[in-house]
Amino acid sequence: MPIHLQPGLAAPAVAARLAAWRAADVAARLLAHDAALWTDAGIADTPGDPISERLGWLDLPVTSPASLPAWQRLADQARADGMRHIVLLGMGGSSLGAEVLARSLPRAAGAPELIVCDSTHPAFVRSVDAVVDPSRALVVAASKSGTTVETTAHFAHWWERLRANVADPAAHCIAITDAGSPPASLAAERGFRACVLAPGDVGGRFSVLGPFGLLPAMLAGVEVAPVLAGAATARAGQDGAAERFASVEQASGIVLGAALGEWAVAGLDTLLIDARPPFDAMTGWLEQLLGESLGKRGRGLFPARPWSGASGRRADRVVIEVGPTDAVEPEGDGLSSASVRVRMGSPADLGAALFEWEVATATAALVIGVQPFDQPDVEAAKRFARAAATGQGSARPEAGGQAGDPRAADIADVLRVARPWLAAIPPEGAIAVQAFLPPTAANDAALDGLARALGDATGAAIAWAYGPRYLHSTGQLHKGGPAWVHCLQLVDGDVGHAPDDDVPIPDAGLTFGALIAAQAAGDAAALAALGRPPFVVRIGGA
């Protein structure tokens, strides 16, 4: 799997960094789980969650194969039982990896379809209910801690649906979690079909090659053994990687990490990610891996997308192209002096790419000077959301740090409403659009159009994502990353105001509409408390 790396003007710095890493034996120390790689670089460890307890992902390519036979039996039994849908309840790292595998690779004929539930918008909940027959659904609750509010809410909803439609609801449930977590206890208490325990020393966004990524994909008919084989080959190839830098066609994760880090130091901190079918789901996975791992202490890399085509490929931005080996190169390919091109022609190539990017992210942190395995600013939004959900939080305008109540008729109208706010954003800045709206094809297209219009109006780099999904992904970057990241939050003016359209969360005293409204308000309040108030626009509504 060739990774073509063009360091651009940072080439001397990257070469020097690799020479220093070769002398310090970084490749071998990384594979030996040497946490001192980061602490010796002056990066503070995280109390209660040390780096040494977050390096198990390095071994997944060689340890996960032992679990495949048992997981394959679960997949075979699900298909034999006539399951038509795998309903994956998981946020961030608990679902993004599985989504990449299931959307990128061939699936066995007749295998169940994977549906990822990572939105709390009531319209989304109803849309899944409309297409999934509970009697032919296997519900997979995936959460490391087991306390993820979205997963807990979705599971309460699905447990009630199963109870109302099948004789043995537990037979339709699988948990993927850490040992000793609430889902593990619940699975034992209720007699789930299975409870698969994940390695405790693997963080969510580095978990694609463990049960969180592999098992849901296998249940959906994906053959994952070649993926692990490719990752194992990439793992073995880390040693001696520095010497191979002369051949950018065979750049390894460590080489890529040096480049990412030096680009960030040099101010090339916007990454335009262009992932093409069938690998387009890698965009969301890369956004989380890079954004949440590196967006801290006012530093980080901003994952954007080339909405305006070649015109957005400026010399101060890095283009990352991911696609099949036969992909047609885009026009204007030579406009960026710094780029990464990943070409994949097999499941093994995908496995290698996933592992190489994990290595690159962990080692880029050495250069940027951040702890890559924690997420220190994520909990703040959860605290504010809990307060808003219980009526103890600030009202929306104050939480957003703005006067008035800006409203737009629809997504296309947001540009008009936001023009005064946009005037203060320089071309070297970035805009993160946080859309607390139902994820639909129509909204996807409208948000793409808005992103292009925002880019044309400001020259800034643009990214958009649905809430609350982004809270478990790039939300850390928005709060802890560079100060030039500006947030534009879009909230549904109708949600929570039409009781007949809302969906109650069983035994929670709360509805999904109230939950998503609280999550939007909570993140706005968390950003405002950090001196980064978002511009909040209400879409529709009275």
Side-chain angles (χ1 to χ4, degrees):
M1 177 212 60
I3 296 182
H4 180 97
L5 176 65
Q6 176 59 49
L9 296 177
V14 174
R17 179 70 59 177
L18 287 168
W21 282 358
R22 182 169 59 249
D25 207 15
V26 166
R29 291 175 62 192
L30 178 69
L31 294 182
H33 297 203
D34 186 354
L37 277 175
W38 293 273
T39 55
D40 286 353
I43 298 169
D45 213 337
T46 303
D49 190 15
I51 295 171
S52 60
E53 296 180 7
R54 284 291 176 261
L55 297 174
W57 59 274
L58 287 159
D59 298 330
L60 291 178
V62 294
T63 58
S64 287
S67 299
L68 296 188
W71 297 346
Q72 188 60 55
R73 286 192 292 272
L74 288 173
D76 292 343
Q77 189 60 56
R79 187 172 176 184
D81 289 346
M83 300 299 179
R84 302 307 309 143
H85 289 97
I86 307 302
V87 182
L88 177 58
L89 317 179
M91 304 299 296
S94 296
S95 61
L96 290 171
E99 188 174 51
V100 167
L101 296 173
R103 285 178 49 184
S104 302
L105 300 176
R107 295 171 49 239
E113 178 187 357
L114 180 70
I115 295 182
V116 176
C117 291
D118 60 359
S119 170
T120 53
H121 196 290
F124 171 80
V125 177
R126 295 195 309 272
S127 71
V128 175
D129 287 351
V131 299
V132 178
D133 176 359
S135 68
R136 305 187 72 184
L138 185 59
V139 176
V140 180
S143 172
K144 275 189 66 63
S145 67
T147 60
T148 306
V149 64
E150 297 90 345
T151 305
T152 300
H154 277 293
F155 182 75
H157 172 78
W158 271 96
W159 183 254
E160 286 300 304
R161 287 204 76 203
L162 291 170
R163 286 182 59 189
N165 288 276
V166 301
D168 185 3
H172 290 254
C173 296
I174 290 177
I176 306 174
T177 188
D178 281 3
S181 71
S185 300
L186 189 66
E189 174 189 325
R190 296 186 179 178
F192 282 13
R193 175 180 290 235
C195 179
V196 176
L197 299 181
D201 58 354
V202 179
R205 58 188 175 273
F206 287 82
S207 66
V208 61
L209 300 175
F212 284 107
L214 300 178
L215 177 54
M218 293 176 73
L219 293 169
V222 175
E223 184 182 1
V224 302
V227 175
L228 288 173
T233 299
R235 181 184 186 277
Q238 295 306 317
D239 284 329
E243 288 80 356
R244 293 209 311 274
F245 178 62
S247 174
V248 292
E249 292 293 342
Q250 297 296 330
S252 73
I254 288 180
V255 173
L256 180 55
L260 291 171
E262 294 298 344
W263 284 331
V265 170
L268 299 175
D269 36 23
T270 295
L271 308 178
L272 299 180
I273 301 176
D274 182 6
R276 285 167 256 168
F279 304 110
D280 46 316
M282 277 195 71
T283 298
W285 184 80
L286 283 171
E287 285 173 343
Q288 186 201 21
L289 181 67
L290 295 165
E292 193 167 48
S293 299
L294 304 176
K296 300 155 194 176
R297 299 179 62 190
R299 307 168 189 175
L301 293 164
F302 183 80
R305 304 183 199 182
W307 302 110
S308 300
S311 65
R313 299 180 176 216
R314 308 186 321 212
D316 60 345
R317 296 173 180 173
V318 178
V319 177
I320 297 175
E321 294 175 354
V322 179
T325 52
D326 60 353
V328 176
E329 304 305 335
E331 294 183 9
D333 181 60
L335 291 180
S336 174
S337 60
S339 64
V340 180
R341 181 177 298 135
V342 183
R343 292 291 179 260
M344 295 173 284
S346 68
D349 284 348
L350 177 59
L354 295 170
F355 186 78
E356 299 281 24
W357 276 104
E358 289 176 334
V359 169
T361 302
T363 51
L366 293 170
V367 185
I368 297 173
V370 296
Q371 210 274 57
F373 307 114
D374 67 358
Q375 44 282 332
D377 297 300
V378 170
E379 182 59 31
K382 296 179 182 179
R383 290 196 303 270
F384 280 110
R386 285 193 292 267
T390 57
Q392 300 172 24
S394 299
R396 161 63 60 182
E398 289 77 17
Q402 63 195 35
D405 190 10
R407 292 174 181 264
D410 52 29
I411 294 173
D413 188 40
V414 169
L415 183 64
R416 175 190 62 81
V417 175
R419 280 196 186 279
W421 176 75
L422 294 172
I425 297 176
E428 61 271 17
I431 299 172
V433 180
Q434 308 165 334
F436 284 85
L437 306 170
T440 64
N443 281 344
D444 288 352
L447 288 165
D448 280 350
L450 174 62
R452 293 188 182 94
L454 291 171
D456 290 342
T458 64
I462 313 294
W464 70 261
Y466 287 110
R469 174 177 171 138
Y470 80 83
L471 293 174
H472 299 262
S473 178
T474 52
Q476 166 63 42
L477 172 73
H478 300 165
K479 289 179 276 290
W484 42 259
V485 177
H486 306 271
C487 295
L488 171 62
Q489 190 183 95
L490 311 182
V491 296
D492 190 339
D494 293 318
V495 73
H497 298 288
D500 291 344
D501 292 333
D502 211 341
V503 180
I505 302 171
D507 303 319
L510 198 66
T511 66
F512 277 98
L515 175 58
I516 195 170
Q519 291 177 304
D523 201 42
L527 285 162
L530 292 167
R532 303 182 178 202
F535 188 77
V536 183
V537 178
R538 193 175 301 277
I539 308 294

